[in-house]
Amino acid sequence: MLGIITLVVALGAQIALLVYQMITKNHQKKTRNIMRLAAFCIFLLLLIVNVYWWGFRWIGLFVLLSILAVIGLISLIRKKQDVTEFKPFKAILICINSCILFAFAIIPGLMFPQFQPIEATGKYDVKTVSVTLTDDKRIEAYSEEEENRKLTIQFWYPENTTDENMPLVIFSHGSFGYRGSNMSTFEDLASNGYVVCSIDHSYHSFFAKHMDDTMTTVNIDFLNDAVSITNNEYDVEYAFNLTHEWLELRKADMSYVLNEIIDNKSGNIPEYICSMIDYEKIGLTGHSLGGATAAQLGRELDIIDAVIVIDGTMLGEGIEFKNNAELLDTRVYPVPLLNLYNEEHYHDAMNQGIAYNNISASRNAIEAYDVVIKGSGHLNFTDLPLFSPALAKLLGTGDVDSRYCIEMMNHIILDFFDYTLKQQGELDLKTEY
């Protein structure tokens, strides 16, 4: 809303000045310069009183207003008289150019509106630290250079806790997500006495900012393939093989990170983080492809105690593609499992029944829950709808209130991990929210 108001005021001021110029048949240079100075001062005041939050949203507008204010101040000091013959076409052209400049400067504020962060529900203050690890046993498949795979991870943890040891939760983001995609979830868990680690899967994340000031961006082939598979453009068997390749890469990433946290052989993970963790209580979770990764490692690693799949298909349950069909794993799923679905995904899963990967795993699990938030879409299970509602809508959200959906998701995740990892309270999950 603030971005829209800002755009309307900025464009309205330019149009009003144009109308005044037309009426007076004068370019009104002095008036324009006074408006420039006034606009800068008002914007600066609103920044100071926190109506506008300083950051990337408003830097462009601040720079534009600063430049115009300097130009206006110099012109007023020189006291040049506006004796130029009035030319309507020139005035209109200047107005159009100004409107375009202001529109471009305000776009970040429109695309990424200010929002109140979701409050963490726990009693602890939360701190965060990032670490970049290099797996010297793997060559980076997405790079043309002969380099080892580099992963940046970020921890959220409680500050000044009196608890000696806390459960560890590791998160894997979805296709072209990033390690901060569910920050409200991480902060909520940490505030309630968890150590949370989120992984940037290099070249699968939209961007990964490493601690050595380098950056890797999403691999275009991976991006195109992910979109094509989502749109059912690929042969079923080809899609099966390709997604399992991605799953193997993600599993290797998550396993490597888990081993590094446990052993800290590289010494890169702060010792105070390692000393906080109860290694007998480890949960895995992830969104979309990240959820599939968490689920498969829940099958394969004995040290995992609980898994949450956030709106993802459990790809690893498909163990073979034979006779033009996917053969599903029928072994017991060995740890408590929670599947959290968007509404369309849930109905599709229920319609397929045990022929669908997640439902099959739930039926075979020692303990499992399938939960849907009504009206939700795929991206409602990240923080993106708060950060950029327009972009999230474009990529896939439902009609549910975004803040409600995230808060409910965080509540469900906390309750499940409290029950399975901390053995606290009773788990009273509904099927539908």
Side-chain angles (χ1 to χ4, degrees):
M1 181 60 71
L2 183 60
I4 295 174
I5 293 172
T6 304
L7 181 63
V8 170
V9 169
L11 300 188
Q14 300 307 309
I15 294 170
L17 176 61
L18 176 62
V19 171
Y20 184 45
Q21 290 171 327
M22 291 296 188
I23 293 173
T24 60
K25 292 183 170 49
N26 187 293
H27 283 295
Q28 297 295 342
K29 290 183 178 179
K30 183 177 180 180
T31 302
R32 183 190 302 119
N33 290 326
I34 291 173
M35 287 176 61
R36 289 168 171 172
L37 285 170
F40 175 76
C41 291
I42 292 170
F43 184 71
L44 187 61
L45 176 63
L46 293 175
L47 275 174
I48 292 171
V49 299
N50 276 332
V51 172
Y52 292 95
W53 300 346
W54 177 250
F56 73 95
R57 296 174 180 87
W58 306 113
I59 288 177
L61 181 58
F62 178 80
V63 170
L64 177 59
L65 290 176
S66 299
I67 293 172
L68 294 177
V70 170
I71 294 172
L73 181 61
I74 293 172
S75 298
L76 288 172
I77 291 173
R78 289 178 176 177
K79 297 182 179 179
K80 284 189 174 182
Q81 298 297 316
D82 193 2
V83 294
T84 307
E85 178 186 356
F86 178 68
K87 297 179 179 179
F89 178 76
K90 180 180 179 181
I92 293 171
L93 188 61
I94 291 174
C95 178
I96 292 173
N97 288 337
S98 296
C99 288
I100 292 173
L101 282 173
F102 275 107
F104 272 105
I106 295 169
I107 281 176
L110 291 169
M111 288 296 296
F112 306 98
Q114 296 176 179
F115 66 93
Q116 289 296 330
I118 290 179
E119 296 279 341
T121 61
K123 62 182 179 180
Y124 298 117
D125 292 332
V126 177
K127 302 281 284 184
T128 185
V129 64
S130 297
V131 176
T132 297
L133 303 170
T134 302
D135 187 351
D136 57 12
K137 294 182 180 179
R138 288 192 294 161
I139 299 298
E140 179 55 72
Y142 287 105
S143 174
E144 296 179 356
E145 307 293 332
E146 284 291 320
E147 58 182 341
N148 294 111
R149 184 153 173 83
K150 183 163 59 176
L151 299 170
T152 293
I153 59 178
Q154 187 166 355
F155 292 94
W156 283 262
Y157 59 94
E159 185 181 26
N160 300 324
T161 175
T162 56
D163 295 343
E164 291 186 5
N165 296 106
M166 291 161 285
L168 171 67
V169 173
I170 301 181
F171 177 88
S172 174
H173 61 73
S175 301
F176 39 94
Y178 82 115
R179 68 178 185 263
S181 64
N182 290 61
M183 188 166 63
S184 69
T185 310
F186 310 151
E187 290 179 340
D188 193 53
L189 285 170
S191 76
N192 282 280
Y194 290 82
V195 176
V196 182
C197 173
S198 182
I199 306 169
D200 253 337
H201 296 278
S202 297
Y203 299 100
H204 277 201
S205 63
F206 187 70
F207 68 92
K209 182 71 167 60
H210 304 298
M211 303 314 293
D212 59 3
D213 291 328
T214 61
M215 180 180 292
T216 56
T217 56
V218 64
N219 177 269
I220 297 302
D221 290 336
F222 168 74
L223 176 63
N224 290 335
D225 285 338
V227 171
S228 296
I229 287 176
T230 301
N231 294 332
N232 298 313
E233 296 174 6
Y234 286 164
D235 172 80
V236 178
E237 185 172 6
Y238 179 76
F240 175 90
N241 292 328
L242 186 58
T243 54
H244 277 68
E245 287 180 15
W246 298 341
L247 183 63
E248 290 301 315
L249 176 71
R250 294 290 196 100
K251 283 167 48 185
D253 285 351
M254 189 175 260
S255 296
Y256 168 71
V257 168
L258 180 56
N259 289 331
E260 279 296 307
I261 294 173
I262 293 172
D263 299 329
N264 200 14
K265 290 180 179 179
S266 67
N268 289 326
I269 298 174
E271 184 57 38
Y272 64 86
I273 294 289
C274 298
S275 65
M276 289 181 179
I277 297 170
D278 182 349
Y279 294 101
E280 298 298 318
K281 299 176 179 179
I282 299 176
L284 301 181
T285 184
H287 177 244
S288 194
L289 179 57
T293 306
Q296 192 56 25
L297 285 181
R299 265 202 181 279
E300 297 176 3
L301 301 181
D302 292 338
I303 59 174
I304 305 306
D305 300 291
V307 169
I308 299 176
V309 180
I310 305 173
D311 206 31
T313 296
M314 294 173 62
L315 300 171
E317 293 301 297
I319 56 176
E320 188 180 1
F321 197 88
K322 191 175 182 180
N323 298 325
N324 203 36
E326 187 176 15
L327 183 64
L328 299 182
D329 197 337
T330 57
R331 294 173 300 162
V332 173
Y333 192 85
V335 298
L337 172 68
L338 168 63
N339 274 298
L340 186 58
Y341 301 88
N342 79 61
E343 186 167 10
E344 183 179 1
H345 187 186
Y346 178 73
H347 290 311
D348 287 345
M350 291 299 110
N351 287 336
Q352 294 183 54
I354 59 172
Y356 181 63
N357 306 43
N358 299 47
I359 303 301
S360 174
S362 291
R363 297 294 185 269
N364 293 323
I366 60 169
E367 183 177 2
Y369 306 88
D370 292 280
V371 176
V372 59
I373 297 180
K374 292 188 289 187
S376 59
H378 191 56
L379 269 297
N380 283 118
F381 295 101
T382 70
D383 289 346
L384 185 61
L386 297 180
F387 189 67
S388 179
L391 183 57
K393 190 70 176 178
L394 180 66
L395 295 175
T397 55
D399 298 326
V400 69
D401 178 79
S402 296
R403 181 172 288 271
Y404 165 81
C405 188
I406 294 170
E407 289 176 340
M408 184 53 64
M409 173 184 67
N410 292 349
H411 171 72
I412 292 168
I413 289 172
L414 177 62
D415 275 3
F416 182 78
F417 279 142
D418 277 350
Y419 176 72
T420 56
L421 298 182
K422 290 186 175 183
Q423 289 77 50
Q424 291 181 355
E426 296 293 328
L427 188 59
D428 185 25
L429 288 178
K430 297 188 295 184
T431 301
E432 298 183 354
Y433 288 86

